[in-house]
Amino acid sequence: MFGRVGVMLVKELLQLRRDRTAMMRLIIPLVVQMLMFGYAATFTVHHVPTTVLDLDRSAPSRGLVSHFVASGRFDVVDEAQSQSQLQSDIDHNVAVVGIVIHAGFARDLGSGKTAPLQVVVDGTNSNTALIALGYVNQIVAQFSAEEVAALARQAAGAARAPSGVTLQVVPWFNPGLEDTWFFIPGIIGSLTLMQVVSLTAFAIVREREVGTLEQILVSPIRSVEFILGKTVPFFLIGLADIALVCAIGILWFKVPFIGDPAVLLAGSALFLLAVVGMGLLLSTYSHTQQQAFALNFFFVNPFFILSGFAFPIAAMPKVLQWFTLINPLRYFLIVIRAVFLKGVGFSVLWPDLAAMAALALVMLAVSVSRFRASMSS
Amino acid sequence: MSANAAPTIRVSGLTKRFGAVHAVRGIDFEVSAGEIFGLVGPDGAGKTTTMRMLAGVLRPDAGTLSIDGIDVARDPEKAKLHLSYMPQRFGLYEDLTVGENVFFYAELFAVPRRERVARSAELLHAAGLEGFERRLAGQLSGGMKQKLGLVCALIHTPRVLLLDEPTTGVDPVSRRDFWAILYRLRESGVSIVMATAYMDEAERCSRLALFHSGEVRHCDTPARLKAAMPGALLAVHAAQPRAVHRALAGLPGVLGALLMGDRVHVRVDDAARRVPELETALRTAGIADARIDPAAPGIEDVFVALLGTPAG
Ligand SMILES: Nc1ncnc2c1ncn2[C@@H]1O[C@H](COP(=O)(O)OP(=O)(O)OP(=O)(O)O)[C@@H](O)[C@H]1O
Ligand SMILES: [Mg+2]
């Protein structure tokens, strides 16, 4: 048995060696996409174009505006003179955020009353709007805390010192809430999924299309041996992919890796078995490379979207949440993020590892039996 | 072909359906060691389907087939050790060299190293592919690719060789090499089953099975098939064979008329009685240069006579 698997492997290696562009095709897109994603996939918003309508024109109102500018999150692109001018700035995409400081802002603040402040955001890009709104809240809260403290200092000696309660949020594992740390491990899993599924499916469908599959099937090789010979190289390529993009994440994007590499290796191996099984399964439904391409496109994108890579699974409708249960990427993302950022081990991650193992087993078993059946039609 | 040797291939009641298409309908035949058994018949007659079942890549719906006493459907792995199948389009790895392709197929069949080296040198020589070992298979001509396919198919010394239209699109020189190899195999007792669309190749087979709509309508040696052809064959030579065909087809006593390039083969029930009638008909049609001679039937004539349609 090993003999014939070995023969297949030698053949695959010979073909890979002959293919001068293989290395380029395998590595360059991966590295480029990793770098692109690494920079582009972020929810941090900087320099949001902002228009300000200051109807109070007081020292505190100017102080508030300078807080906005100093944060680096907002750029004041226009100082509007009226509500309608502010409206038009947003309508014409000059600004995304409009801040209206009403007359009496300084007076109310001085007397300890609630000072009115109006914020208008362009909701057409709800992502940016929500994030910007979050910053507005943060900055305003900080500003009012400072003002309250200043008031308290002025009122020193008086019996009634304002006692404020501040809520302190401390994010664990990612103290700076750096979303690069969150995304990079996700990108590693997603890129590997896309590359390995398509490589595996295409390699097998190609043999079917060229006619070499029929030729091999008349030899005494068993279907399991053929499948092993065809998939082991892609399993190894997948491991190399993961190692390469992990290295970029750690060395280039400085994502901390505090976990145990052995846990990541185990997770990667199980994930790749499931992914290779998926490629194999797609290949049994495709007679031509075009069909494989269409199927690959149809399946890989949903797996990516429904993985928790960017959109939280808990926020999805129930039906889609159930679907994520058969998505190996979902489990791998949990494992890789946990290993990178939390440093937890087998004792915590075993359910996710077991889920991937079960998925791998089912996909491989189904595709091997479908492959066998496809031989006799 | 000695009568006492047990046949290498036995097929009985072999049947295969693809949905509504009844591709093979309960066929029977036997092939002995050292025979070249030809499958001929029009497109879609079921030749390839039969071959694929013999090769163990397609499971029959009904019937039995055995190779060297091994039931192919029950024990395909064991049967595959003894047979070799060259599909209509042999699957070569075009990104591997000639030598690497041969090496790969030899290893798949676990051919010992020493034997592999000797045999591949011998086969490549016979196929006229000597010196091309380092050429990529994808860069060979069509004929060379087919011959390389044959070399790969023969590297493990099969007892049964299945060839599906192996010389279609192959130049005459390569076809000669091809046949030289087949004759040598036959001498050494290999059973060869080949589907062919070329009538000259059909003539060279030991026996022929005439396929039509999934059935074997006739099965015999080429000589006996010709002898069994009803009627007598006449060749009519003329400058305008098409006009001759038009003038003669459908006349009383004419069983069939087949355009053969520069002449027309006319099959009649009784030559002595019909020749004068044909001459009259030709004169009436204004064809003055026609010459009628008795002709020896080729396989194609037999085919048309027996099946009512041209082969291949
Ligand atoms: N895999 C398949 N699925 C469905 N129908 C098939 C399949 N293979 C063959 N057929 C049908 O079975 C019939 C016999 O086809 P087969 O290929 O055996 O003919 P053939 O004699 O080899 O023809 P040709 O001379 O064109 O090669 C045809 O009608 C064909 O359409
Ligand atoms: Mg055919």
Side-chain angles (χ1 to χ4, degrees), chain A residues 180-194:
Chain A
T180 321
W181 292 16
F182 175 76
F183 277 122
I184 295 280
I187 295 162
I188 296 170
S190 309
L191 287 180
T192 310
L193 173 85
M194 291 186 210

Side-chain angles (χ1 to χ4, degrees), chain B residues 47-48 88 164-165:
Chain B
K47 305 177 300 281
T48 299
Q88 253 166 316
D164 196 352
E165 305 197 12

Side-chain angles (χ1 to χ4, degrees), chain B residues 89-174:
Chain B
R89 197 172 49 128
F90 188 90
L92 289 168
Y93 290 100
E94 306 223 324
D95 49 354
L96 295 184
T97 63
V98 168
E100 287 163 348
N101 269 288
V102 176
F103 173 81
F104 174 64
Y105 284 108
E107 288 292 311
L108 266 190
F109 284 90
V111 178
R113 203 188 103 84
R114 184 175 306 209
E115 196 185 321
R116 185 189 77 222
V117 173
R119 217 173 143 70
S120 78
E122 181 191 324
L123 285 167
L124 288 172
H125 173 75
L129 287 172
E130 239 171 1
F132 287 96
E133 284 88 344
R134 291 168 159 275
R135 174 91 53 106
L136 287 183
Q139 291 168 358
L140 297 177
S141 72
M144 288 163 106
K145 277 183 195 167
Q146 279 309 94
K147 287 191 288 181
L148 174 57
L150 186 63
V151 171
C152 292
L154 293 176
I155 192 73
H156 67 284
T157 327
R159 306 256 305 116
V160 169
L161 176 61
L162 309 169
L163 304 168
D164 196 352
E165 305 197 12
T167 58
T168 300
V170 172
D171 65 279
V173 177
S174 291

Side-chain angles (χ1 to χ4, degrees), chain A residues 91-311:
Chain A
D91 287 348
H92 292 97
N93 285 328
V94 174
V96 174
V97 174
I99 297 168
V100 185
I101 304 171
H102 290 286
F105 180 79
R107 186 189 62 226
D108 290 347
L109 206 61
S111 65
K113 279 205 275 182
T114 309
L117 178 74
Q118 190 190 350
V119 178
V120 181
V121 293
D122 176 359
T124 49
N125 183 347
S126 61
N127 243 347
T128 311
L130 278 177
I131 296 162
L133 210 55
Y135 294 141
V136 171
N137 281 329
Q138 246 178 331
I139 292 166
V140 170
Q142 196 192 351
F143 173 78
S144 59
E146 283 174 23
E147 288 297 318
V148 168
L151 272 176
R153 273 197 304 279
Q154 283 170 19
R160 191 175 51 82
S163 60
V165 176
T166 44
L167 177 67
Q168 208 179 0
V169 179
V170 183
W172 284 10
F173 311 123
N174 188 354
L177 269 183
E178 295 260 7
D179 47 19
T180 321
W181 292 16
F182 175 76
F183 277 122
I184 295 280
I187 295 162
I188 296 170
S190 309
L191 287 180
T192 310
L193 173 85
M194 291 186 210
Q195 182 160 65
V196 175
V197 168
S198 57
L199 280 177
T200 312
F202 275 71
I204 293 173
V205 173
R206 215 176 104 79
E207 295 231 8
R208 201 194 298 278
E209 219 179 42
V210 179
T212 45
L213 184 59
E214 175 123 332
Q215 211 62 63
I216 286 179
L217 294 182
V218 287
S219 82
I221 197 167
R222 281 196 290 264
S223 26
V224 177
E225 296 168 332
F226 172 78
I227 286 172
L228 273 178
K230 276 318 267 190
T231 50
V232 165
F234 298 112
F235 179 84
L236 295 177
I237 287 175
L239 277 185
D241 276 1
I242 292 180
L244 174 70
V245 282
C246 277
I248 297 177
I250 294 167
L251 300 175
W252 183 262
F253 290 107
K254 306 276 185 246
V255 178
F257 186 96
I258 60 176
D260 181 354
V263 181
L264 184 58
L265 184 65
S268 305
L270 292 172
F271 172 63
L272 284 169
L273 281 180
V275 167
V276 161
M278 216 172 118
L280 201 56
L281 198 57
L282 289 191
S283 79
T284 66
Y285 285 95
S286 325
H287 284 275
T288 62
Q289 297 192 59
Q290 270 104 326
Q291 287 172 0
F293 181 81
L295 276 179
N296 185 44
F297 182 73
F298 186 76
F299 280 103
V300 168
N301 272 338
F303 272 84
F304 172 64
I305 292 166
L306 301 176
S307 64
F309 168 77
F311 315 111

Side-chain angles (χ1 to χ4, degrees), chain A residues 377, chain B residues 18 21 23 41-50 52 88 164-165:
Chain A
S377 68
Chain B
F18 295 107
V21 180
D43 290 346
K47 305 177 300 281
T48 299
T49 308
T50 304
R52 296 185 68 214
Q88 253 166 316
D164 196 352
E165 305 197 12

